[in-house]
Amino acid sequence: MTAYKRVQQWNTFARVWHLYDATWQNPFESAQRIMKYLKGLHKPIYHPLNDCGDHVVVINSGEIALLGDEWRKRVYFHHTGYPGGATWTLAWELHDKDPTMIMKKAVYNVMDGNLQRRYTMQRLHIYPDDDVPEKIKQNITNQIRQLRPVPKRLDRYAPEEVQRFPKVMDWPKNYILR
Amino acid sequence: MSVLNKFTGLLVSLNKLALSGCVNKHAYLRGYAVRRPLWSTTTTSHLHSVPETQKMILTSSETTEEEQKQSNEIISKVNKQLQQQSEGRLFAVVHICGKQFKVTTEDLIIIEGHWAPQIGDELKLEKVLLAGGTDFTLIGRPVLSSELVLVHATVIEKALSHIKTVFKKKRRKQFQRINFQRTPHTMLRINSIQIKPEINVKKDVEGLESRIF
Amino acid sequence: MVFTSLALFVRNRGPDEFWRKRKILKLSAHFYGRRRNCYSIAIRAVHRALVSATKGRKLKKEDMVALWETRITAGCEEHNMTYPLFREGLVRCNILLNRKTLADLAVWEPRTFKSLVKVAHARVSQDGLAGVTELGDPPSGIITRGMLK
């Protein structure tokens, strides 16, 4: 291969580091998108044998939002292999123990169950908050768009903006809100 | 940027009635599971249940002045490049024996199946679906005019494929068949791809250049 | 035929047993263990191999088509368009490129592919089909070498 072709090949197959902010996102929907980037399905040069997957760094996985009752009702099963080693853990309990687990399990379960899965999962990096190591931050070049729009919280607005916003009605001064 | 060749242009009518009311959400997904011949004239009607009034009709193009100016600019740029012969290496998508090949000059392609041309025959490949270079592409609808794009090829080799063993077996039923098959292969070398300048010139009578009186 | 002893007479099955078995053992030369050397075991393995090869030739074509579709989908998504809409737009414009060619163009001729996407999008939004979103530039992290501007 000539030097030019070699550089062109590096350019085409280079591994890109993507960032995904999981604040207030549904982990299961996000997992579908993240899986695409991890496998390389977003590239026209995709082939299962091609090793064209990218890295994805997920931040704020402690702030994910599950649908409806799922925090209270979704259970994660684990068996240690020993007799009597079956445990059923609720989603909120698992989240308290380790805030990255729900996202990780979501992505793991959405992939096909072949031998590539464990290797591909090594390219996924999940952090419970904004705190990402410096070396990884230096690699990141792209951000994946969030699936659900994140509204701005009322307490994050400046108090002057809240004052300025036109009011249709206001409670009387001596009215006590329950 | 690409330029739609207006030669074969069935000019698109800007019939603004929305189809979304009559086409159900999944109707358009059905279309390409249907097998139909490449050159069928009934293109859209029975595939997508489009009513008669909303089929593509031949009307004069209702493009705006600005769009017309833009497309004229692009076409003149392409013509200039072709006249100066500075287009560089061209590629084309050619349709032979039911298969489409993306070819450039000095390419070797193999056509499988029985095909009449013999070794040494110089062919002009007529069914060109797409042709382009570094700066422009001509997209045919469905085919570019054979007077506009010339793709010349030579038959280099006519041989048989490797031996394919077709073995069928049903276990415990004493049924076993073995057949050996070799399909004829023809190897073509693409000699040249040329695009004649003056694209987008609509002649009064087409198809005369290839006629031998 | 002359057999010097009774034992040899009984064990002989025919003159070309060697070449019959050699035909099979040649095909099983790269198998594992006794399946490459012992005839009775090899013949079963060889039959299974030939049957898989016959079936595989059909499956290969199906696999290639699926791969082309994945590649074209990836190419379309780079421009914020979906594959069914893209196909529909091309078919309605009477552009009859097959999946193999479209996948090749998506890989090797990105600008041509972009213009095909634009054509399909224009047609589909003109006809008013459901699910049409605005075409966008590819995300900033993708290495396009300036070819998709």
Side-chain angles (χ1 to χ4, degrees), chain B residues 152-164:
Chain B
H152 292 285
T154 324
V155 179
I156 291 184
E157 203 183 312
K158 282 197 77 101
L160 294 168
S161 73
H162 70 281
I163 302 170
K164 291 180 193 163

Side-chain angles (χ1 to χ4, degrees), chain B residues 14 56 100 141 165 169, chain C residues 47 57 93 96 98 101 126:
Chain B
L14 293 181
M56 211 156 70
Q100 294 175 12
R141 298 166 71 199
T165 318
K169 181 176 170 135
Chain C
H47 282 178
R57 255 175 263 133
C93 289
L96 303 173
N98 62 4
T101 330
Q126 183 196 287

Side-chain angles (χ1 to χ4, degrees), chain A residues 20-27 30 34 57-66 71 91 94-96 98-107 124-132 146:
Chain A
Y20 184 74
D21 191 357
T23 333
W24 296 9
Q25 303 299 311
N26 186 352
S30 326
I34 292 172
V57 176
V58 180
I59 55 171
N60 290 326
S61 73
E63 313 283 327
I64 50 175
L66 266 62
W71 281 116
L94 187 65
H95 199 66
D96 286 338
D98 184 3
T100 61
M101 281 300 280
I102 293 188
M103 198 70 225
K104 195 161 139 192
K105 281 176 112 35
V107 179
L124 176 66
H125 313 273
I126 310 179
Y127 297 97
D129 47 23
D130 273 338
D131 191 19
V132 179
Q146 291 177 311

Side-chain angles (χ1 to χ4, degrees), chain B residues 2 12-14 19-20 28-29 32 38 48 56 91 93 100 102 134 137 141-142 165 167 169 176, chain C residues 47 50-51 54 57 84 87-88 92-94 96-98 100-101 109 111-112 115-116 123 126-128:
Chain B
S2 78
V12 178
S13 83
L14 293 181
L19 281 179
S20 51
Y28 61 82
L29 288 172
Y32 24 86
L38 191 62
H48 313 294
M56 211 156 70
F91 74 92
V93 170
Q100 294 175 12
K102 180 184 158 306
T134 38
T137 326
R141 298 166 71 199
T165 318
F167 186 74
K169 181 176 170 135
Q176 191 172 295
Chain C
H47 282 178
L50 289 174
V51 166
T54 315
R57 255 175 263 133
R87 254 330 262 278
E88 181 62 26
R92 287 191 182 204
C93 289
N94 213 10
L96 303 173
L97 296 162
N98 62 4
K100 170 176 142 193
T101 330
E109 313 284 340
R111 292 175 185 146
T112 309
S115 40
L116 284 168
R123 183 53 196 259
Q126 183 196 287
D127 286 352

Side-chain angles (χ1 to χ4, degrees), chain C residues 12-112:
Chain C
N12 183 33
R13 278 187 189 156
D16 36 31
E17 180 191 335
F18 172 75
W19 289 281
R20 246 193 327 109
K21 292 188 176 178
R22 194 178 76 164
K23 235 175 24 172
I24 302 296
L25 293 172
K26 241 167 83 160
L27 295 174
S28 73
H30 61 281
F31 291 175
Y32 176 77
R34 284 201 290 167
R35 294 150 120 232
R36 70 168 163 265
N37 287 326
C38 306
Y39 177 75
S40 335
I41 301 172
I43 195 167
R44 288 175 226 150
V46 164
H47 282 178
R48 289 181 69 80
L50 289 174
V51 166
S52 328
T54 315
K55 289 187 188 161
R57 255 175 263 133
K58 259 211 179 96
L59 292 177
K60 183 177 173 183
K61 296 169 181 74
E62 292 169 26
D63 288 342
M64 289 307 284
V65 167
L67 181 69
W68 293 330
E69 291 199 340
T70 332
R71 287 185 170 182
I72 299 171
T73 315
C76 291
E77 296 291 341
E78 276 183 350
H79 297 101
N80 202 20
M81 181 125 176
T82 51
Y83 171 64
L85 276 179
F86 175 60
R87 254 330 262 278
E88 181 62 26
L90 286 188
V91 162
R92 287 191 182 204
C93 289
N94 213 10
I95 297 172
L96 303 173
L97 296 162
N98 62 4
R99 284 167 287 198
K100 170 176 142 193
T101 330
L102 287 172
D104 280 344
L105 293 175
V107 173
W108 296 103
E109 313 284 340
R111 292 175 185 146
T112 309

